[in-house]
Amino acid sequence: MTKPYVFITRKLSKETIQPLMEVADVHMWNEEENAVPREVLLKEAEKADALLTMLSEKVDKELLDAAPKLKVIANLAVGFDNIDVKYANQKGIAICNTPDVLTDTTADLTFALLLATARRIVEAAEFVKKGQWKSWSPLLLAGYDVHHKTIGIVGMGKIGEAVAKRARGFEMNILYHNRSRNMEAEEHTGASYTSFDELIETSDFIVCLTPLTAETLGMFTRESFKKMKKSAVFVNVSRGPVVDEEALYHALVDGEIAAAGLDVFVQEPVDEKHPLLTLPNVVALPHIGSSSKETRKNMMELCCKNIELVLCGQQPKTLVNKDWGLSVK
Ligand code: GLV
Ligand code: GLV
C-alpha cells in the first residue's frame, strides 16, 4: 500500500519529521528563509493527503479545490486566519493549530515588546553602539514606567491571561476586553472586564492579542487612537489587519499616543519603507511572538503529531473545527 503524501511548506529538521516519515511519504519545500511559491504549493496540494502550513500560506478555496485527497491541514501557529476554515470544514478536512505550547513564550515576547517600547530599549541600544553616548544626563532616553500602571488587554484568551500574570508581577492594574467575560482569567489574575472604549480611554498600555476575525478586522481605528491617553503605549502581537495602520501612523506622528510596539503588520514581511518604520517611537519585530527554539520545536512536533493521528484514523490533539470527526469515520 502506498503511504499517504504529506507536504510541508517550509524546511523542518529531519529529527522533527522522523516519526511522521514512518507513516507517510513526506515532502517539503526545502528552504528555510523563502516561502514556497504558490504554483509549487498548488501542484503539491494535488497529491497531498496532508499539508503542514505556515501562517503566511493562504489556504483558500483555490488551494482547497486543488487538493482532492486532502484530509488534514496542520498550521504552524495558534491563529488560523490564513485558512478558509468554513470551506475546509465543508470538505471534511481536519484543521489543526498549535495552541497551549506557545502561550508562555508569546506572553514573554509581548511583555518584552511592551518593556522595550516603554523604556526605549532599541533606541538606547542603538545609541550606545553608534557611539552617541557622550555623557550621563538626567533625562537621557527617558521612557515611561511600566510598574503600577494600567494595562488593558484586548483579547483575553490563554495568551492574554499569561500576559496578565506577568503584569501582576509588575503590580499593574489589569483591565481586559473580550467577546465574552473570562471568569477564570479574572480569578487567576485579578483582571477587570471593561468595554472596549473604557479600556482604550483609561489604559497606559493597550495590548492587542485578539484573533483576526470579521469582527476584529480594523477594530483599532482613527477614533480609537484619539480616545487613548497621549502617554499611551500600543502593543500589537495579534495580527496586523486588526489595526488601521494609517490611523496608527497619524496617532504617533500627531502625538495622540506615545509609542507603539508591533510584532505584526498588515503586509508581512513589512516593506522597509513602510511609514511606521520611519518613526523613532515604533519598535518593530518580524512576527516572532512564539519564536523560541523550544517552543518552535514543540509547535513543529505538534503539527506532525496531528497529521500522523489523522492519517492513522484518529482524533488529532488540537483541532480547530471541533465537530470534525463526528461525521468522519
Ligand atoms: C502566530 O502569530 C500564531 O498565530 O501562532
Ligand atoms: C542610576 O544608575 C543611578 O544610580 O541613579
Side-chain angles (χ1 to χ4, degrees), residues 55 76-81 98 102 106 237-239 263-264 287 289-290 296 299:
L55 55 83
L76 191 80
V78 65
F80 43 82
D81 48 279
T98 61
L102 50 57
T106 308
V237 186
S238 67
R239 287 292 182 271
D263 187 41
V264 289
H287 202 152
S290 61
R296 283 289 159 86
M299 289 164 68

Side-chain angles (χ1 to χ4, degrees), residues 151-176:
I151 183 172
I153 298 171
V154 178
M156 187 59 110
K158 289 174 187 159
I159 299 170
E161 184 176 332
V163 168
K165 283 185 182 152
R166 284 151 181 77
R168 267 180 78 114
F170 285 75
E171 299 184 63
M172 298 177 90
N173 173 36
I174 307 166
L175 306 179
Y176 78 98

